[in-house]
Amino acid sequence: MVTLLYNAYVVTGERCSGGAVLINGDRIGGVYFTGDMTEPGTQEERQAREQVEEWKGKADECIDLSGKMIMAGGIDAHVHFREPGMTHKADMESESRAALLGGVTSFIDMPNTVPATTSMELLEDKARLAEGRAYANYGFNLGATNSNLSELQDAAANGKWKFGGIKVFMGSSTGNMLVDSDDTLNGIFNIHGKPVLVHCEDEATIKENLGKATAKYGDDIPFSMHPEIRSRQACIRSSAKALELAIRHHTALHLLHVSTAEEMKMAAASKIHNPEITAETSANYLWFSDKDYDRLGSRVKCNPAIKSEADREALREGLKNGTIDTIGSDHAPHAEEEKQKCYRQAPSGMPSIQQSLPVLLTVASEEDIPLERIASAFSEKPAEVFRIQNRGKLKEGFFADIVVIDMEKEQTVTKDSLLYKCGWSPYEGYTLKGSVETVFVNGRKTVDGRKVTGAPAGERLIFG
């Protein structure tokens, strides 16, 4: 099956232009930059126009996109799909369907499930759960503990293609995977050939802050205290340690869900000494601020905590100037009744993947961030960091994971529009720019007119 998508606005990490994309089976058959059709065009653009006209006569299907935008499908390397062990919250099938409407065509799941994915045997068990059920392409990160260093070393040496990266919790979060042994940390940071993904919060600082809050408020700690308990100091101290280890050991460090302006500056400075250091943030930190705790409460309780408006503005600027390398949703759903508990009992995390690309496009519009930066952070750079083979770019020969967006449409997030198994979102009531109209996964149309159609088309990711 050959499909031509034409009369579109094609966006890559390098350029934005009028153009067309050819899908040939499960691969991209060609990318044609035709430019502004009202202008004579360059020689390259005129040649591209001729090729598009030629394919109009040969393709099995020709779709006039009437100026809609084409991007490579997003690669979200930071999701918690809760399977196995917590499927009352979410599962591979439900959350990967939601991912498609957020422009995400590939995901890499985090290891803090039940049981935790801390061995290659358990990782293969998880891969079997996704096979035939995932609507997006799937991969998995391997989890670190204080006692599985030899397992991680063996996996990095002998099973590189099977997993994305090594996830290290330097601060406790959902699950019991805190790594606080200096010997283990040094061993992990000395592993090469795979990215080391680090959740950075200093546990001692958090415990001290929680003790003070409990002494003051008892069982009635307000949610607005969350960024004081899981404080910026906790993030900065832990990130400084991770960055120092990465510089010392020449580690391919991926600093996860950066939430403060200071961490972003530290990451930028550290890249001078180790260019393999990269930084991720999520749409949540680009959208919300500490002003939202009074209204949304537990719905915006996540780890690390959402910080100040100044941090949000700094992170937006970091996305614009390239200091922020990738966007990971940190999609972490919980049942609504769980989130309605008091501060100490309400779990941290929020469902967000269905809003990923619309939030980014809205932020880009507000901050005049070039669309090339969105294409890079959302799709191309994650593929580079995780060495994912033949995905993440609009490029001939790559898998046809493609998203078509109507930038003229706005959508208000409503409860009945959500595909999350948990059935809620902190974004309810917000109006976002850009509507994901059509999605192709491995050349198969899986979203048509904002509706998920057909059977799951996701395939296992292959890592270099």
Side-chain angles (χ1 to χ4, degrees):
M1 178 75 173
V2 177
T3 301
L4 179 68
L5 309 175
Y6 72 100
N7 193 17
Y9 193 63
V10 179
V11 180
T12 73
E14 291 78 38
R15 65 191 296 186
C16 300
S17 168
V21 175
L22 186 74
I23 301 172
N24 189 351
D26 65 348
R27 303 279 179 148
I28 294 174
V31 180
Y32 308 102
F33 293 100
T34 57
D36 184 349
M37 298 297 284
T38 64
E39 299 291 335
T42 64
Q43 183 176 350
E44 177 196 9
E45 289 168 344
R46 291 194 298 272
Q47 184 178 14
R49 293 171 191 177
E50 291 174 3
Q51 291 173 304
V52 170
E53 289 302 314
E54 185 178 341
W55 277 112
K56 283 182 183 179
K58 296 193 300 184
D60 299 298
E61 181 181 25
C62 297
I63 303 175
D64 184 347
L65 293 180
S66 302
K68 294 183 177 69
M69 187 169 76
I70 297 176
M71 289 178 59
I75 298 176
D76 192 337
H78 192 158
V79 306
H80 302 270
F81 280 2
R82 305 303 192 200
E83 190 173 5
M86 295 178 277
T87 53
H88 68 287
K89 304 173 189 275
D91 59 48
M92 305 270 189
E93 184 175 358
S94 63
E95 308 313 284
S96 63
R97 290 179 77 245
L100 297 183
L101 293 185
V104 174
T105 56
S106 297
F107 67 87
I108 310 177
D109 192 59
M110 288 297 179
N112 50 332
T113 48
V114 181
T117 315
T118 55
S119 71
M120 290 305 295
E121 181 181 2
L122 290 168
L123 189 141
E124 289 303 311
D125 288 343
K126 191 183 272 192
R128 282 188 284 272
L129 290 172
E131 187 176 358
R133 296 175 57 230
Y135 282 81
N137 304 306
Y138 53 92
F140 305 96
N141 293 308
L142 188 60
T145 70
N146 279 325
S147 59
N148 75 337
L149 177 58
S150 61
E151 173 83 33
L152 302 176
Q153 291 168 330
D154 182 68
N158 301 308
K160 283 186 176 68
W161 73 269
K162 293 182 179 181
F163 70 102
I166 297 170
K167 174 64 178 288
V168 183
F169 285 95
M170 290 175 68
S172 62
S173 189
T174 302
N176 185 27
M177 295 179 63
L178 175 65
V179 179
D180 55 4
S181 162
D182 284 340
D183 287 343
T184 301
L185 285 171
N186 275 288
I188 293 169
F189 276 75
N190 203 32
I191 293 173
H192 299 284
K194 299 300 291 186
V196 175
L197 327 171
V198 184
H199 176 133
C200 287
E201 290 182 286
D202 182 68
E203 193 67 14
T205 302
I206 293 169
K207 286 181 177 179
E208 181 182 350
N209 292 339
L210 181 58
K212 291 177 181 177
T214 302
K216 182 175 181 179
Y217 295 103
D219 292 333
D220 295 320
I221 298 174
F223 285 96
S224 59
M225 284 296 296
H226 192 54
E228 302 299 321
I229 293 169
R230 302 190 81 102
S231 65
R232 67 190 316 104
Q233 290 80 9
C235 294
I236 292 165
R237 287 174 184 170
S238 186
S239 291
K241 183 175 183 177
L243 290 165
E244 189 275 329
L245 285 167
I247 291 169
R248 185 196 314 165
H249 295 292
H250 309 287
T251 314
L253 171 66
H254 194 45
L255 198 63
L256 298 177
H257 40 42
V258 173
S259 62
T260 69
E262 290 91 337
E263 288 172 285
M264 192 175 61
K265 291 177 183 177
M266 289 159 52
S270 298
K271 290 178 184 182
I272 297 170
H273 304 284
N274 179 355
E276 287 196 87
I277 290 171
T278 49
E280 172 210 86
T281 196
S282 84
N284 302 326
Y285 300 106
L286 298 170
W287 190 261
F288 297 108
S289 77
D290 57 3
K291 303 294 186 186
D292 295 304
Y293 284 107
D294 288 339
R295 182 172 61 88
L296 294 173
S298 67
R299 289 188 166 225
V300 288
K301 183 190 178 192
C302 61
N303 302 337
I306 289 164
K307 305 297 195 301
S308 70
E309 290 179 319
D311 290 304
R312 179 180 62 189
E313 296 312 307
L315 291 168
R316 288 183 172 202
E317 179 60 28
L319 175 62
K320 186 175 185 177
N321 65 31
T323 304
I324 295 296
D325 296 280
T326 72
I327 298 296
S329 68
D330 196 10
H331 175 76
H334 296 283
E336 201 158 16
E337 57 269 24
E338 295 171 328
K339 291 292 278 185
Q340 290 171 348
K341 295 179 180 179
C342 68
Y343 175 81
R344 294 194 67 152
Q345 295 179 3
S348 292
M350 62 180 81
S352 57
I353 199 168
Q354 189 175 332
Q355 284 70 51
S356 287
L357 186 54
V359 168
L360 288 178
L361 293 173
T362 306
V363 169
S365 176
E366 292 175 353
E367 305 294 340
D368 196 27
I369 298 174
L371 291 174
E372 292 96 329
R373 283 292 310 130
I374 303 301
S376 175
F378 194 58
S379 309
E380 296 185 10
K381 191 65 175 184
E384 179 185 326
V385 169
F386 290 86
R387 301 179 184 178
I388 301 171
Q389 293 186 7
N390 298 320
R391 297 191 190 275
K393 287 186 177 182
L394 294 178
K395 184 176 179 180
E396 185 175 351
F398 276 47
F399 287 99
D401 300 330
I402 295 169
V403 178
V404 177
I405 306 110
D406 189 337
M407 289 296 291
E408 298 303 314
K409 282 188 180 179
E410 294 184 339
Q411 51 180 317
T412 300
V413 181
T414 59
K415 201 173 187 68
D416 60 5
S417 69
L418 299 171
L419 298 186
Y420 305 137
K421 195 172 189 177
C422 66
W424 67 274
S425 167
Y427 290 98
E428 288 172 47
Y430 287 106
T431 298
L432 304 175
K433 183 179 180 63
S435 173
V436 176
E437 297 289 304
T438 309
V439 178
F440 294 85
V441 178
N442 298 305
R444 293 168 58 184
K445 190 185 291 185
T446 54
V447 172
D448 190 9
R450 298 193 66 232
K451 301 292 185 184
V452 179
T453 60
E459 296 180 1
R460 187 170 182 177
L461 298 173
I462 305 299
F463 300 95

